[in-house]
Amino acid sequence: MAKSVIITCAVTGGIHTPTMSEHLPITPSEIATASIEAAEAGASVIHLHARDPETGKPDPRPETFMQFLPVIKQSTNAVVNISTGGGLGMTMDERLLAATTASPEMASLNMGSLNFGIFPMADKYDTWKHDWEKPFLDMTKDFIFPNTFATIEYALKELGEGHGTRFEFECYDLGHLYNLAYFVDKGMIKPPFFIQMVFGILGGVGADLDNLMHMHTIANKLFGEENYEWSVLAAGRHQMPFATQSAMLGGNLRVGLEDSLYIGPKQLAKSNADQVRKIRSIVENLGLSVATPDEARERLALKGGDMVKF
Ligand code: KMH
Ligand code: ZN
């Protein structure tokens, strides 16, 4: 029987800026509401960043996270996943602080350094809600998102060993699978681990179906398909087609306004839950079922929602 599909929803991220969509959750209350609605729509994992409530800028402060984490926990059974990618330009200590404070069941871990080019998005807008937005996008023309072996190892020890947090290993290119294999071979990452394959970020692998097939083939060779769960996200207009392809190939998927602000061609998504409902309907129309949070916990060997510090 086909496995159920774990839907992750990444509700706000640190890439899009407030000018781009009035529906992007910014304040703690908006982030909490978006997360709860996404969970009710069928997401079993909620991937979270925080934003400064006044400016909408990515915000690493644990105090900001703590304004929405308990609300989400009290209102849903969803697995809370805290980003360690943070916002472009944050230090590694800033990026880890919310997760080491909250000790979540899951956290993201970016598996290699890359050019992270979001500057082309700036060309689409003439006026901006906040002064920081355009320079933030423009600076990524000359920016490397740093995820070295030392910082990955540090996160595995601090968060993984220290807190029992398990990871969404974000792989933006083929080489990142080999970086992951290095840590698996060292015994620092143990099955069943969760690989999030990321397509369509400028600087990472492109959103071409051949790339998805190849990364899946190589992951199977490196890890053995019984040892890991895989999931797919793709940026922008590739989001829904790639999520669908993953479900068809036996994988899991991620949607959410972090990855795409749209629900259809030139149509902004009014909520994260709208994207979850859309992909859920596709998944169910394929004859597949959607995983509950407890099914996700079991398959990903998570420590449980009562073992977190929020
Ligand atoms: N915000 C970007 C730097 C993650 O959450 O781990 C990438 C990112 C990845 O958000
Ligand atoms: Zn993220």
Side-chain angles (χ1 to χ4, degrees):
M1 211 180 92
K3 280 198 263 187
S4 56
V5 178
I6 299 170
I7 298 180
T8 298
C9 184
V11 298
T12 186
I15 295 173
H16 296 120
T17 70
T19 294
M20 297 174 185
S21 171
E22 60 175 318
H23 308 295
L24 186 68
I26 303 287
T27 65
S29 128
E30 287 167 354
I31 291 172
T33 302
S35 303
I36 294 161
E37 288 175 358
E40 286 169 352
S44 47
V45 180
I46 306 292
H47 168 109
L48 288 158
H49 296 238
R51 290 179 183 266
D52 182 310
E54 302 298 323
T55 64
K57 198 173 182 195
D59 181 351
R61 290 174 297 174
E63 310 88 89
T64 315
F65 277 86
M66 283 303 179
Q67 289 178 50
F68 56 77
L69 293 176
V71 185
I72 298 169
K73 186 183 161 188
Q74 280 153 25
S75 314
T76 79
N77 185 33
V79 173
V80 167
N81 169 340
I82 296 182
S83 169
T84 67
L88 297 166
M90 289 179 192
T91 65
M92 197 61 203
D93 282 339
E94 284 176 322
R95 285 164 51 186
L96 279 173
L97 195 57
T100 51
T101 305
S103 198
E105 290 183 85
M106 286 189 89
S108 64
L109 190 52
N110 294 265
M111 290 311 289
S113 303
L114 68 155
N115 292 339
F116 206 107
I118 55 175
F119 59 91
M121 286 195 286
D123 295 340
K124 293 194 202 161
Y125 306 91
D126 294 325
T127 51
W128 300 88
K129 272 190 196 152
H130 302 283
D131 290 347
W132 66 270
E133 296 178 66
K134 186 167 159 33
F136 173 79
L137 299 168
D138 286 345
M139 74 89 179
T140 66
K141 196 163 189 176
D142 192 22
F143 176 75
I144 298 166
F145 179 39
N147 299 287
T148 66
F149 288 101
T151 59
I152 294 168
E153 186 173 297
Y154 182 70
L156 289 171
K157 285 195 175 141
E158 282 291 309
L159 249 184
E161 286 174 27
H163 290 264
T165 297
R166 288 178 64 78
F167 295 97
E168 174 193 16
F169 292 107
E170 297 193 319
C171 294
Y172 300 73
D173 219 328
L174 190 63
H176 298 183
L177 292 176
Y178 286 86
N179 297 348
L180 179 62
Y182 165 80
F183 289 105
V184 172
D185 292 345
K186 277 190 75 156
M188 293 186 67
I189 296 172
K190 297 201 175 55
F193 48 87
F194 187 54
I195 303 179
Q196 190 70 261
M197 298 182 191
V198 182
F199 298 88
I201 296 289
L202 182 61
V205 73
D208 187 304
L209 184 56
D210 285 340
N211 289 334
L212 191 165
M213 303 295 283
H214 187 57
M215 281 182 69
H216 183 221
T217 302
I218 296 299
N220 280 343
K221 284 190 186 178
L222 287 172
F223 308 119
E225 57 184 324
E226 66 285 6
N227 289 321
Y228 76 105
E229 288 274 351
W230 63 293
S231 178
V232 167
L233 79 87
R237 66 192 160 85
H238 303 289
Q239 180 184 59
M240 291 292 165
F242 267 61
T244 304
Q245 291 289 354
S246 182
M248 289 171 68
L249 293 166
N252 304 290
L253 61 93
R254 181 171 119 173
V255 292
L257 269 56
E258 170 164 352
D259 307 331
S260 168
L261 293 172
Y262 292 85
I263 190 82
K266 297 199 167 97
Q267 207 188 339
L268 286 173
K270 292 210 170 69
S271 69
N272 280 273
D274 278 353
Q275 290 184 346
V276 175
R277 277 188 284 273
K278 178 165 179 171
I279 197 65
R280 181 186 187 147
S281 138
I282 292 170
V283 165
E284 290 178 344
N285 276 300
L286 290 170
L288 300 166
S289 63
V290 165
T292 64
D294 286 339
E295 282 168 355
R297 285 189 174 92
E298 196 184 327
R299 277 165 50 194
L300 305 179
L302 305 182
K303 64 183 177 176
D306 50 351
M307 301 295 284
V308 301
K309 295 201 183 120
F310 54 87

